Amino acid sequence: VSDTSTKLQLPFLAAGQAQKHVTVNESLLRLDALVQCAVESKSTTAEPGSPSDGQIYILPAGKTGTNWGGMTDLALAYYRDGAWEQISPREGFVVYVKYADLFAHFDGANWIIDYESGTFTPTVTFATPGTFAPSYDYQYGRYRRIGNVCHYWLAVQFDANAYSGASGNFRINGLPFTCVADASLLFEPAAAPF
């Protein structure tokens, strides 16, 4: 029989255990960290010098620090009561990453980003641009990615200019993610036909 629960690794009370409050408090602290979990970052490599109680980080490869250096890559580093604790994620754990305003889940091997939104600066060109070099009046792009699907909204206005030799598809460049590489759709990495 295990001394901890399978999913959240909460310590069980033992029969006849003295100071039961210690074990119960350990479980409550672990629940406090993992339920509605919000991590500070998933890319910070240097252990913070003055962390706040309750802060949690996803530990990336290349992490450094007295405590973090000995912890497992991709684990959760939980700071409480003046010390760092490693929490090993289980498949299905979901966290909100505060610095990037996104959600991620653990698939058993990696943290996968589930939702992300932001802005980008679109540019335009042709498959063969020739001398096409637009002068932009404005460029604005927004995106929302949910799982593997990304929706884009954009507005681009540029001054008409004389150009020659431009041919092929008119394209929008500067997308924040790689598009499907599908010849039938005419998509290329970080560009979409218009």
Side-chain angles (χ1 to χ4, degrees):
V1 176
S2 175
D3 293 337
T4 61
S5 66
T6 303
K7 185 175 178 187
L8 297 180
Q9 304 164 359
L10 303 175
F12 291 136
L13 293 174
Q17 176 180 331
Q19 297 187 330
K20 292 176 176 61
H21 67 283
V22 173
T23 303
V24 170
N25 288 344
E26 286 295 317
S27 291
L28 290 174
L29 287 169
R30 172 92 32 136
L31 282 171
D32 185 54
L34 296 176
V35 175
Q36 300 294 327
C37 186
V39 301
E40 303 301 317
S41 171
K42 65 186 277 301
S43 60
T44 299
T45 57
E47 180 180 321
S50 301
S52 298
D53 198 60
Q55 285 189 323
I56 303 172
Y57 291 81
I58 295 174
L59 297 175
K63 67 208 171 311
T64 61
T66 305
N67 299 288
W68 283 15
M71 294 183 179
T72 306
D73 290 351
L74 304 178
L76 298 173
Y78 174 37
Y79 189 78
R80 66 175 180 89
D81 300 327
W84 288 101
E85 175 187 351
Q86 175 178 302
I87 299 175
S88 298
R90 299 286 198 246
E91 185 175 355
F93 274 24
V94 177
V95 300
Y96 171 68
V97 184
K98 293 195 277 187
Y99 89 96
D101 189 27
L102 57 83
F103 287 93
H105 76 274
F106 192 69
D107 70 356
N110 291 295
W111 287 98
I112 308 298
I113 297 171
D114 290 325
Y115 174 87
E116 183 176 356
S117 64
T119 61
F120 67 99
T121 304
T123 59
V124 295
T125 189
F126 285 90
T128 303
T131 61
F132 181 72
S135 174
Y136 295 98
D137 294 326
Y138 62 85
Q139 302 162 269
Y140 178 77
R142 268 192 89 61
Y143 69 90
R144 180 176 300 134
R145 188 174 70 76
I146 302 170
N148 291 329
V149 177
C150 191
H151 299 273
Y152 296 99
W153 298 267
L154 55 94
V156 177
Q157 181 174 325
F158 55 92
D159 293 336
N161 65 350
Y163 61 89
S164 64
S167 64
N169 293 317
F170 182 73
R171 300 184 176 212
I172 299 168
N173 292 325
L175 304 177
F177 300 103
T178 300
C179 293
V180 175
D182 186 331
S184 66
L185 297 175
L186 302 174
F187 285 4
E188 293 183 0
F194 183 71

